[in-house]
Amino acid sequence: MGTALHAQSAGQHPEFSDRVAAGELPPVAERVSAEPEVIDFGSVGTYGGKWRFGLASSGDDGTLRQHIGTNGLVRWHHNREDLIPNVAKGWEVSEDGTEFTFHLREGMRWSDGAPLTTEDVAFAINDVLLNSDYGSLSTRFKSGDDPMSLEVIDDTTFKIIFASANGEFLGQMAREEGAAIVFYAKHYCSTFHPDYNDNLQPLIDAAGVSDWQTLFVQKCGDPTEGQRWLNIERPVLDPWVMETPLDGGATVVSLTANPYFWQVDAEGNQLPYIGELEGRIFQDPEAMTLAAIAGQFDFQARGIDAAANRPVLADNREAGDYELYEVVGVGGNYNWIQPNLNHKDPVVSALFNEKDFRIALSIGMDRREVIDTALLGDGTPWQTGPWEGKKLYNERLATQHLEFNPAKANALLDGLGLDQRNEDGIRLMSDGRPARFLIDIRNTYPQIIDMIQVVQAQWEDIGVAIDLNVVDRSLHKLRSANADHDFTADSGNTTLSPGQLPSALLPIDDSSRHAPLWTEWYTTGGTSGIEPPEHVKKRYEIWEAINSNVDPDNRVVLYQQLSDIAADEFEAFGVTKNPSTYGVVKNGLENVLPGMVSTSQWASPANVFMPQAWYWDTES
């Protein structure tokens, strides 16, 4: 991978050639910029064809993010170890780790043809991210309590400055959240911003929203939210642009190749090769699996990769004209169960904040039975954190309270005063109500649903009842952000690699669903949320020291201190290591690299495994 010196002889989609001839588009050499990025792996492909995939619901924006990606300044190489240029052609970091200078690609354009310059960066940072009227600033853009600042040097060069060293920053920029710096096209999004438009009310009224902030999100989206797929007019930097949006009434979403996309192959041909993407929306997981075995998907894992589906997917390979590909687990936990320590019900909150209650639930779970029943035996009992052999592996964090010991679990619950039961055998809390709770699960995780159904029966044996609350991603996230949930069950990919917030070790972002209001207190500087106890504040201090430390050995020591406190507190618990799962890839789809992973840290396949370089072999 590198930077092309020129693209004068570059190829392009035949449709684009026709549009150039008609005067509707400039020549391809002008569209891909003077400094396109070269994607050089596999073989040089050919243009054409369609990529068909499935979405698990009309709220399944996660599949679009995983397939299309969110293009930030940097990205991960497909070896999953090295950070490499992306929208930025290069960067420099000061010796003290406080200044990051980025260089944009000369002549790069948004999907509508408008130039990408540091004006867009300044708009994103100063008018959106640092705008307290718009929202609070993510810890990804801070060093300690201090926000980043911006220095614009010229049209393609800018510097991001921190008050203290920020050793995590480049890794953060490779995540979808970090892409916010080059996500908002100023020429378009400023139309919906009060600093640039003093007559917003007609637009607010026409959109049927209450304020400019909601209007802005509706029109310009957010790198991590579903709104980014609603407005087909929004300029993007992605390989494909929306044609049919993902809205509540959609049955299919569609995308077409971006005529101004800024990557080329080894011979200078503009990417992507595949010109059309079609995502069919399902409401029934079984229907999605049936579509897969009927050969109706060209590349798909999400929504069909439950272990229970593996035999039927394997048996139908010939009939469906596809092969299976492995999605590799790389760390963390496949099913991370989080009780809400900030519960609004004081009786439930007091119970959940008892460490012995959490230990009782953990040892009241027969993980081997869960793995054998729901995952066909493919898994290893695990709490959370990096796996053995990694520098940040912490044995106690990963392996404590894994034993199945219902007698001890019952004794712990009795010791908490839960020694009375109702006629159904469910323990009674201090106010006489049964210990019956909801556990929120995203509908895109059928395998987690299967696992929790096994856990449900096991916990009922020790007198704690849970009812499954299967919801779409947006509601799952909203309920946990507002601390409206009892428990959540979700994937916990705590690999603790650069750019990954250690959300299992301290309440740090929206995936720390065990303590959303402590997270809010931290991210808002104490202006909202709930002030956490001292052991949480101590972890925040350690996390800030990690961020401000550029010595890798010192950072390992600090991470272990963080892990030790998290192990002491035991705030949430896991079921099994992330096992490998399997998806389908149609025969004839070329340049699909092995080694895809099951974590949001490295979006699979987008941004890492580069589906814009995939193509159809029409001769096979």
Short mmCIF file of all heavy atoms in Angstrom, two decimals, residues 450-510:
data_model
loop_
_atom_site.label_atom_id
_atom_site.label_comp_id
_atom_site.label_asym_id
_atom_site.label_seq_id
_atom_site.Cartn_x
_atom_site.Cartn_y
_atom_site.Cartn_z
N ASP A 450 -29.39 -17.29 22.30
CA ASP A 450 -29.34 -18.72 22.64
C ASP A 450 -28.59 -18.96 23.94
O ASP A 450 -29.00 -19.78 24.77
CB ASP A 450 -28.67 -19.50 21.51
CG ASP A 450 -29.47 -19.49 20.21
OD1 ASP A 450 -30.67 -19.20 20.26
OD2 ASP A 450 -28.87 -19.76 19.16
N MET A 451 -27.48 -18.24 24.13
CA MET A 451 -26.68 -18.43 25.34
C MET A 451 -27.44 -17.99 26.59
O MET A 451 -27.45 -18.68 27.61
CB MET A 451 -25.37 -17.64 25.21
CG MET A 451 -24.46 -18.14 24.09
SD MET A 451 -23.12 -16.99 23.70
CE MET A 451 -22.03 -17.28 25.08
N ILE A 452 -28.11 -16.82 26.48
CA ILE A 452 -28.81 -16.30 27.66
C ILE A 452 -30.01 -17.18 28.01
O ILE A 452 -30.39 -17.28 29.19
CB ILE A 452 -29.25 -14.85 27.42
CG1 ILE A 452 -28.00 -13.95 27.31
CG2 ILE A 452 -30.14 -14.33 28.53
CD1 ILE A 452 -27.12 -13.94 28.56
N GLN A 453 -30.61 -17.84 27.05
CA GLN A 453 -31.71 -18.76 27.37
C GLN A 453 -31.22 -19.91 28.23
O GLN A 453 -31.96 -20.41 29.09
CB GLN A 453 -32.35 -19.26 26.07
CG GLN A 453 -33.20 -18.20 25.38
CD GLN A 453 -33.73 -18.65 24.04
OE1 GLN A 453 -33.14 -19.49 23.37
NE2 GLN A 453 -34.84 -18.08 23.62
N VAL A 454 -29.99 -20.35 28.03
CA VAL A 454 -29.42 -21.39 28.89
C VAL A 454 -29.14 -20.82 30.27
O VAL A 454 -29.45 -21.44 31.30
CB VAL A 454 -28.14 -21.98 28.27
CG1 VAL A 454 -27.58 -23.10 29.15
CG2 VAL A 454 -28.41 -22.50 26.86
N VAL A 455 -28.55 -19.63 30.32
CA VAL A 455 -28.27 -18.97 31.59
C VAL A 455 -29.56 -18.72 32.37
O VAL A 455 -29.60 -18.85 33.60
CB VAL A 455 -27.52 -17.63 31.35
CG1 VAL A 455 -27.33 -16.87 32.66
CG2 VAL A 455 -26.17 -17.90 30.69
N GLN A 456 -30.61 -18.38 31.66
CA GLN A 456 -31.91 -18.10 32.29
C GLN A 456 -32.35 -19.27 33.18
O GLN A 456 -32.77 -19.07 34.33
CB GLN A 456 -32.94 -17.84 31.19
CG GLN A 456 -34.32 -17.47 31.67
CD GLN A 456 -35.26 -17.25 30.48
OE1 GLN A 456 -35.16 -17.92 29.44
NE2 GLN A 456 -36.17 -16.31 30.62
N ALA A 457 -32.24 -20.46 32.66
CA ALA A 457 -32.64 -21.64 33.44
C ALA A 457 -31.68 -21.87 34.62
O ALA A 457 -32.11 -22.27 35.72
CB ALA A 457 -32.68 -22.87 32.54
N GLN A 458 -30.41 -21.63 34.42
CA GLN A 458 -29.42 -21.85 35.48
C GLN A 458 -29.63 -20.87 36.64
O GLN A 458 -29.57 -21.26 37.81
CB GLN A 458 -28.01 -21.70 34.91
CG GLN A 458 -27.66 -22.77 33.88
CD GLN A 458 -26.35 -22.49 33.17
OE1 GLN A 458 -25.76 -21.41 33.32
NE2 GLN A 458 -25.88 -23.46 32.39
N TRP A 459 -29.89 -19.60 36.31
CA TRP A 459 -30.10 -18.61 37.37
C TRP A 459 -31.43 -18.83 38.10
O TRP A 459 -31.54 -18.55 39.28
CB TRP A 459 -30.03 -17.21 36.78
CG TRP A 459 -28.62 -16.74 36.53
CD1 TRP A 459 -27.48 -17.42 36.80
CD2 TRP A 459 -28.23 -15.50 35.98
NE1 TRP A 459 -26.38 -16.68 36.43
CE2 TRP A 459 -26.81 -15.49 35.93
CE3 TRP A 459 -28.92 -14.39 35.50
CZ2 TRP A 459 -26.09 -14.41 35.44
CZ3 TRP A 459 -28.19 -13.31 35.01
CH2 TRP A 459 -26.79 -13.32 34.99
N GLU A 460 -32.41 -19.34 37.38
CA GLU A 460 -33.68 -19.62 38.05
C GLU A 460 -33.48 -20.69 39.12
O GLU A 460 -34.15 -20.67 40.16
CB GLU A 460 -34.72 -20.06 37.04
CG GLU A 460 -36.13 -20.10 37.61
CD GLU A 460 -37.20 -20.14 36.55
OE1 GLU A 460 -36.97 -19.59 35.45
OE2 GLU A 460 -38.26 -20.71 36.83
N ASP A 461 -32.54 -21.60 38.91
CA ASP A 461 -32.25 -22.64 39.90
C ASP A 461 -31.69 -22.06 41.19
O ASP A 461 -31.82 -22.69 42.25
CB ASP A 461 -31.27 -23.66 39.33
CG ASP A 461 -31.91 -24.58 38.30
OD1 ASP A 461 -33.16 -24.64 38.25
OD2 ASP A 461 -31.16 -25.22 37.53
N ILE A 462 -31.05 -20.89 41.13
CA ILE A 462 -30.55 -20.25 42.35
C ILE A 462 -31.47 -19.12 42.80
O ILE A 462 -31.11 -18.33 43.69
CB ILE A 462 -29.10 -19.75 42.18
CG1 ILE A 462 -28.99 -18.70 41.07
CG2 ILE A 462 -28.15 -20.92 41.92
CD1 ILE A 462 -27.61 -18.01 41.00
N GLY A 463 -32.64 -19.01 42.16
CA GLY A 463 -33.66 -18.09 42.65
C GLY A 463 -33.63 -16.70 42.06
O GLY A 463 -34.25 -15.79 42.62
N VAL A 464 -32.96 -16.50 40.94
CA VAL A 464 -32.94 -15.20 40.27
C VAL A 464 -33.52 -15.38 38.87
O VAL A 464 -33.03 -16.23 38.10
CB VAL A 464 -31.51 -14.63 40.19
CG1 VAL A 464 -31.51 -13.31 39.41
CG2 VAL A 464 -30.94 -14.41 41.58
N ALA A 465 -34.55 -14.62 38.55
CA ALA A 465 -35.25 -14.77 37.26
C ALA A 465 -34.87 -13.64 36.32
O ALA A 465 -34.78 -12.48 36.73
CB ALA A 465 -36.75 -14.78 37.48
N ILE A 466 -34.64 -14.00 35.06
CA ILE A 466 -34.41 -12.99 34.03
C ILE A 466 -35.35 -13.27 32.87
O ILE A 466 -35.61 -14.42 32.53
CB ILE A 466 -32.94 -12.94 33.55
CG1 ILE A 466 -32.47 -14.33 33.08
CG2 ILE A 466 -32.04 -12.36 34.61
CD1 ILE A 466 -31.12 -14.33 32.39
N ASP A 467 -35.84 -12.21 32.27
CA ASP A 467 -36.64 -12.30 31.05
C ASP A 467 -35.88 -11.60 29.94
O ASP A 467 -35.34 -10.50 30.13
CB ASP A 467 -38.00 -11.62 31.26
CG ASP A 467 -38.82 -12.32 32.33
OD1 ASP A 467 -38.95 -13.54 32.26
OD2 ASP A 467 -39.32 -11.63 33.24
N LEU A 468 -35.83 -12.22 28.77
CA LEU A 468 -35.08 -11.67 27.65
C LEU A 468 -35.86 -10.52 27.02
O LEU A 468 -37.06 -10.63 26.77
CB LEU A 468 -34.80 -12.74 26.60
CG LEU A 468 -33.62 -13.68 26.87
CD1 LEU A 468 -33.85 -14.53 28.11
CD2 LEU A 468 -33.36 -14.57 25.66
N ASN A 469 -35.17 -9.42 26.78
CA ASN A 469 -35.74 -8.25 26.12
C ASN A 469 -34.93 -8.01 24.85
O ASN A 469 -33.91 -7.32 24.87
CB ASN A 469 -35.69 -7.03 27.05
CG ASN A 469 -36.38 -5.82 26.46
OD1 ASN A 469 -37.36 -5.95 25.73
ND2 ASN A 469 -35.86 -4.64 26.75
N VAL A 470 -35.37 -8.61 23.75
CA VAL A 470 -34.63 -8.54 22.49
C VAL A 470 -35.07 -7.29 21.72
O VAL A 470 -36.25 -7.15 21.38
CB VAL A 470 -34.87 -9.81 21.65
CG1 VAL A 470 -34.10 -9.73 20.33
CG2 VAL A 470 -34.46 -11.05 22.44
N VAL A 471 -34.13 -6.38 21.48
CA VAL A 471 -34.44 -5.08 20.87
C VAL A 471 -33.43 -4.78 19.78
O VAL A 471 -32.38 -5.42 19.69
CB VAL A 471 -34.42 -3.95 21.93
CG1 VAL A 471 -35.52 -4.17 22.97
CG2 VAL A 471 -33.06 -3.87 22.62
N ASP A 472 -33.73 -3.78 18.96
CA ASP A 472 -32.76 -3.39 17.93
C ASP A 472 -31.65 -2.55 18.55
O ASP A 472 -31.72 -2.13 19.71
CB ASP A 472 -33.43 -2.68 16.75
CG ASP A 472 -34.02 -1.32 17.10
OD1 ASP A 472 -33.60 -0.70 18.10
OD2 ASP A 472 -34.91 -0.86 16.37
N ARG A 473 -30.61 -2.32 17.75
CA ARG A 473 -29.41 -1.67 18.28
C ARG A 473 -29.69 -0.29 18.86
O ARG A 473 -29.18 0.07 19.93
CB ARG A 473 -28.35 -1.55 17.18
CG ARG A 473 -27.08 -0.84 17.61
CD ARG A 473 -26.09 -0.72 16.47
NE ARG A 473 -24.88 -0.04 16.88
CZ ARG A 473 -24.73 1.28 16.89
NH1 ARG A 473 -25.73 2.05 16.50
NH2 ARG A 473 -23.59 1.83 17.28
N SER A 474 -30.52 0.50 18.19
CA SER A 474 -30.76 1.87 18.63
C SER A 474 -31.45 1.89 19.99
O SER A 474 -31.10 2.69 20.87
CB SER A 474 -31.57 2.64 17.59
OG SER A 474 -32.80 1.98 17.33
N LEU A 475 -32.44 1.03 20.18
CA LEU A 475 -33.14 0.99 21.47
C LEU A 475 -32.24 0.40 22.54
O LEU A 475 -32.26 0.85 23.69
CB LEU A 475 -34.44 0.18 21.33
CG LEU A 475 -35.32 0.10 22.59
CD1 LEU A 475 -35.68 1.50 23.07
CD2 LEU A 475 -36.57 -0.72 22.32
N HIS A 476 -31.46 -0.60 22.19
CA HIS A 476 -30.50 -1.19 23.12
C HIS A 476 -29.56 -0.11 23.66
O HIS A 476 -29.32 0.00 24.87
CB HIS A 476 -29.73 -2.29 22.40
CG HIS A 476 -28.83 -3.11 23.27
ND1 HIS A 476 -27.54 -2.76 23.55
CD2 HIS A 476 -29.04 -4.29 23.91
CE1 HIS A 476 -26.98 -3.67 24.32
NE2 HIS A 476 -27.86 -4.62 24.55
N LYS A 477 -29.06 0.69 22.74
CA LYS A 477 -28.11 1.75 23.12
C LYS A 477 -28.80 2.85 23.92
O LYS A 477 -28.26 3.35 24.92
CB LYS A 477 -27.48 2.34 21.85
CG LYS A 477 -26.37 3.32 22.12
CD LYS A 477 -25.68 3.72 20.82
CE LYS A 477 -24.51 4.65 21.08
NZ LYS A 477 -23.79 5.00 19.84
N LEU A 478 -30.02 3.22 23.52
CA LEU A 478 -30.75 4.28 24.21
C LEU A 478 -31.09 3.87 25.63
O LEU A 478 -30.91 4.66 26.58
CB LEU A 478 -32.03 4.62 23.44
CG LEU A 478 -32.93 5.70 24.05
CD1 LEU A 478 -32.20 7.04 24.10
CD2 LEU A 478 -34.23 5.83 23.26
N ARG A 479 -31.57 2.65 25.81
CA ARG A 479 -31.94 2.20 27.15
C ARG A 479 -30.74 2.18 28.09
O ARG A 479 -30.83 2.59 29.25
CB ARG A 479 -32.58 0.81 27.08
CG ARG A 479 -34.05 0.85 26.68
CD ARG A 479 -34.63 -0.55 26.50
NE ARG A 479 -34.43 -1.44 27.64
CZ ARG A 479 -35.16 -1.43 28.75
NH1 ARG A 479 -36.16 -0.54 28.88
NH2 ARG A 479 -34.92 -2.29 29.73
N SER A 480 -29.61 1.72 27.59
CA SER A 480 -28.43 1.66 28.45
C SER A 480 -27.86 3.05 28.71
O SER A 480 -27.42 3.35 29.83
CB SER A 480 -27.37 0.75 27.84
OG SER A 480 -26.92 1.24 26.60
N ALA A 481 -27.89 3.93 27.71
CA ALA A 481 -27.38 5.30 27.91
C ALA A 481 -28.19 6.04 28.97
O ALA A 481 -27.65 6.85 29.75
CB ALA A 481 -27.40 6.07 26.60
N ASN A 482 -29.48 5.76 29.04
CA ASN A 482 -30.36 6.41 30.02
C ASN A 482 -30.44 5.65 31.33
O ASN A 482 -31.19 6.05 32.23
CB ASN A 482 -31.77 6.55 29.44
CG ASN A 482 -31.83 7.53 28.29
OD1 ASN A 482 -31.01 8.44 28.19
ND2 ASN A 482 -32.80 7.34 27.40
N ALA A 483 -29.68 4.56 31.45
CA ALA A 483 -29.71 3.72 32.64
C ALA A 483 -31.12 3.18 32.91
O ALA A 483 -31.55 3.06 34.06
CB ALA A 483 -29.17 4.46 33.86
N ASP A 484 -31.83 2.83 31.84
CA ASP A 484 -33.19 2.29 31.97
C ASP A 484 -33.21 0.76 31.98
O ASP A 484 -34.27 0.16 32.10
CB ASP A 484 -34.07 2.78 30.81
CG ASP A 484 -34.37 4.27 30.89
OD1 ASP A 484 -34.39 4.80 32.01
OD2 ASP A 484 -34.58 4.89 29.83
N HIS A 485 -32.07 0.14 31.84
CA HIS A 485 -31.99 -1.31 31.75
C HIS A 485 -31.72 -1.94 33.12
O HIS A 485 -31.29 -1.26 34.05
CB HIS A 485 -30.88 -1.72 30.78
CG HIS A 485 -29.51 -1.26 31.20
ND1 HIS A 485 -29.17 0.08 31.36
CD2 HIS A 485 -28.38 -1.96 31.51
CE1 HIS A 485 -27.90 0.17 31.74
NE2 HIS A 485 -27.41 -1.05 31.85
N ASP A 486 -31.99 -3.24 33.22
CA ASP A 486 -31.57 -4.01 34.39
C ASP A 486 -30.21 -4.65 34.10
O ASP A 486 -29.23 -4.36 34.77
CB ASP A 486 -32.60 -5.10 34.71
CG ASP A 486 -33.98 -4.54 35.06
OD1 ASP A 486 -34.06 -3.39 35.53
OD2 ASP A 486 -34.97 -5.26 34.85
N PHE A 487 -30.18 -5.52 33.09
CA PHE A 487 -28.94 -6.13 32.62
C PHE A 487 -28.86 -5.90 31.11
O PHE A 487 -29.88 -5.73 30.44
CB PHE A 487 -28.94 -7.65 32.83
CG PHE A 487 -28.80 -8.11 34.24
CD1 PHE A 487 -29.92 -8.21 35.06
CD2 PHE A 487 -27.58 -8.49 34.77
CE1 PHE A 487 -29.82 -8.67 36.36
CE2 PHE A 487 -27.47 -8.96 36.07
CZ PHE A 487 -28.59 -9.04 36.87
N THR A 488 -27.65 -5.94 30.58
CA THR A 488 -27.46 -6.08 29.14
C THR A 488 -26.54 -7.26 28.89
O THR A 488 -25.70 -7.60 29.73
CB THR A 488 -26.84 -4.83 28.46
OG1 THR A 488 -25.51 -4.64 28.96
CG2 THR A 488 -27.67 -3.59 28.71
N ALA A 489 -26.72 -7.88 27.75
CA ALA A 489 -25.80 -8.92 27.29
C ALA A 489 -25.31 -8.50 25.91
O ALA A 489 -26.11 -8.22 25.02
CB ALA A 489 -26.49 -10.27 27.22
N ASP A 490 -24.01 -8.42 25.75
CA ASP A 490 -23.45 -7.94 24.50
C ASP A 490 -22.05 -8.49 24.34
O ASP A 490 -21.46 -9.01 25.28
CB ASP A 490 -23.42 -6.40 24.51
CG ASP A 490 -23.49 -5.79 23.12
OD1 ASP A 490 -23.35 -6.54 22.14
OD2 ASP A 490 -23.68 -4.57 23.02
N SER A 491 -21.51 -8.33 23.15
CA SER A 491 -20.14 -8.73 22.89
C SER A 491 -19.19 -7.79 23.61
O SER A 491 -19.36 -6.57 23.58
CB SER A 491 -19.87 -8.70 21.38
OG SER A 491 -18.53 -8.98 21.10
N GLY A 492 -18.17 -8.34 24.26
CA GLY A 492 -17.20 -7.52 24.99
C GLY A 492 -15.81 -7.73 24.45
O GLY A 492 -15.04 -8.55 24.95
N ASN A 493 -15.46 -6.98 23.41
CA ASN A 493 -14.20 -7.19 22.71
C ASN A 493 -13.07 -6.38 23.34
O ASN A 493 -12.54 -5.46 22.74
CB ASN A 493 -14.35 -6.81 21.23
CG ASN A 493 -15.34 -7.72 20.54
OD1 ASN A 493 -15.19 -8.92 20.58
ND2 ASN A 493 -16.37 -7.15 19.93
N THR A 494 -12.73 -6.70 24.55
CA THR A 494 -11.72 -5.93 25.24
C THR A 494 -10.34 -6.47 24.93
O THR A 494 -9.75 -7.22 25.70
CB THR A 494 -11.97 -5.95 26.76
OG1 THR A 494 -13.33 -5.62 27.00
CG2 THR A 494 -11.10 -4.93 27.46
N THR A 495 -9.83 -6.10 23.79
CA THR A 495 -8.49 -6.53 23.40
C THR A 495 -7.42 -5.59 23.95
O THR A 495 -6.25 -5.93 23.97
CB THR A 495 -8.37 -6.58 21.87
OG1 THR A 495 -8.71 -5.30 21.34
CG2 THR A 495 -9.31 -7.60 21.29
N LEU A 496 -7.83 -4.40 24.37
CA LEU A 496 -6.92 -3.41 24.92
C LEU A 496 -5.76 -3.11 23.97
O LEU A 496 -4.62 -2.97 24.37
CB LEU A 496 -6.37 -3.85 26.29
CG LEU A 496 -7.43 -4.08 27.38
CD1 LEU A 496 -6.77 -4.27 28.72
CD2 LEU A 496 -8.43 -2.95 27.44
N SER A 497 -6.07 -3.04 22.70
CA SER A 497 -5.09 -2.64 21.71
C SER A 497 -5.18 -1.13 21.53
O SER A 497 -6.13 -0.50 21.98
CB SER A 497 -5.35 -3.35 20.39
OG SER A 497 -6.67 -3.09 19.97
N PRO A 498 -4.19 -0.51 20.87
CA PRO A 498 -4.23 0.94 20.68
C PRO A 498 -5.54 1.37 20.02
O PRO A 498 -5.98 0.80 19.03
CB PRO A 498 -3.03 1.21 19.78
CG PRO A 498 -2.08 0.11 20.08
CD PRO A 498 -2.94 -1.09 20.33
N GLY A 499 -6.15 2.38 20.60
CA GLY A 499 -7.39 2.91 20.04
C GLY A 499 -8.64 2.31 20.63
O GLY A 499 -9.73 2.81 20.39
N GLN A 500 -8.49 1.27 21.41
CA GLN A 500 -9.67 0.65 22.03
C GLN A 500 -9.80 1.14 23.46
O GLN A 500 -8.91 0.96 24.28
CB GLN A 500 -9.56 -0.88 22.02
CG GLN A 500 -10.68 -1.54 22.79
CD GLN A 500 -11.39 -2.61 22.00
OE1 GLN A 500 -11.24 -2.69 20.80
NE2 GLN A 500 -12.16 -3.43 22.67
N LEU A 501 -10.92 1.77 23.78
CA LEU A 501 -11.16 2.19 25.14
C LEU A 501 -11.43 0.96 26.01
O LEU A 501 -12.20 0.09 25.62
CB LEU A 501 -12.35 3.15 25.19
CG LEU A 501 -12.15 4.51 24.52
CD1 LEU A 501 -13.44 5.31 24.54
CD2 LEU A 501 -11.04 5.30 25.19
N PRO A 502 -10.81 0.88 27.19
CA PRO A 502 -10.96 -0.30 28.04
C PRO A 502 -12.28 -0.27 28.82
O PRO A 502 -12.30 -0.17 30.04
CB PRO A 502 -9.75 -0.21 28.96
CG PRO A 502 -9.49 1.26 29.08
CD PRO A 502 -9.85 1.85 27.74
N SER A 503 -13.38 -0.38 28.08
CA SER A 503 -14.70 -0.17 28.68
C SER A 503 -15.09 -1.25 29.67
O SER A 503 -16.03 -1.07 30.43
CB SER A 503 -15.75 -0.07 27.57
OG SER A 503 -15.69 -1.17 26.70
N ALA A 504 -14.40 -2.39 29.68
CA ALA A 504 -14.67 -3.41 30.68
C ALA A 504 -13.92 -3.14 31.98
O ALA A 504 -14.21 -3.76 33.00
CB ALA A 504 -14.29 -4.79 30.15
N LEU A 505 -12.96 -2.23 31.92
CA LEU A 505 -12.13 -1.98 33.09
C LEU A 505 -12.55 -0.74 33.87
O LEU A 505 -12.20 -0.60 35.05
CB LEU A 505 -10.66 -1.83 32.67
CG LEU A 505 -10.06 -2.99 31.88
CD1 LEU A 505 -8.58 -2.76 31.65
CD2 LEU A 505 -10.30 -4.31 32.58
N LEU A 506 -13.25 0.16 33.21
CA LEU A 506 -13.76 1.36 33.87
C LEU A 506 -14.87 1.94 33.01
O LEU A 506 -14.91 1.71 31.81
CB LEU A 506 -12.65 2.39 34.10
CG LEU A 506 -12.15 3.23 32.93
CD1 LEU A 506 -11.33 4.41 33.45
CD2 LEU A 506 -11.30 2.42 31.99
N PRO A 507 -15.78 2.69 33.63
CA PRO A 507 -16.88 3.29 32.85
C PRO A 507 -16.34 4.44 32.00
O PRO A 507 -16.10 5.53 32.50
CB PRO A 507 -17.85 3.78 33.92
CG PRO A 507 -17.41 3.16 35.20
CD PRO A 507 -15.94 2.96 35.07
N ILE A 508 -16.16 4.19 30.70
CA ILE A 508 -15.42 5.13 29.87
C ILE A 508 -16.17 5.54 28.61
O ILE A 508 -15.94 6.61 28.06
CB ILE A 508 -14.03 4.54 29.51
CG1 ILE A 508 -13.09 5.58 28.89
CG2 ILE A 508 -14.18 3.33 28.61
CD1 ILE A 508 -12.65 6.64 29.83
N ASP A 509 -17.08 4.69 28.11
CA ASP A 509 -17.83 5.06 26.92
C ASP A 509 -19.17 4.34 26.93
O ASP A 509 -19.54 3.70 27.92
CB ASP A 509 -17.03 4.78 25.64
CG ASP A 509 -16.90 3.30 25.32
OD1 ASP A 509 -17.25 2.47 26.18
OD2 ASP A 509 -16.43 2.97 24.22
N ASP A 510 -19.92 4.43 25.81
CA ASP A 510 -21.29 3.92 25.82
C ASP A 510 -21.36 2.40 25.83
O ASP A 510 -22.44 1.83 25.96
CB ASP A 510 -22.11 4.50 24.67
CG ASP A 510 -21.52 4.19 23.30
OD1 ASP A 510 -20.65 3.31 23.21
OD2 ASP A 510 -21.94 4.84 22.32
#
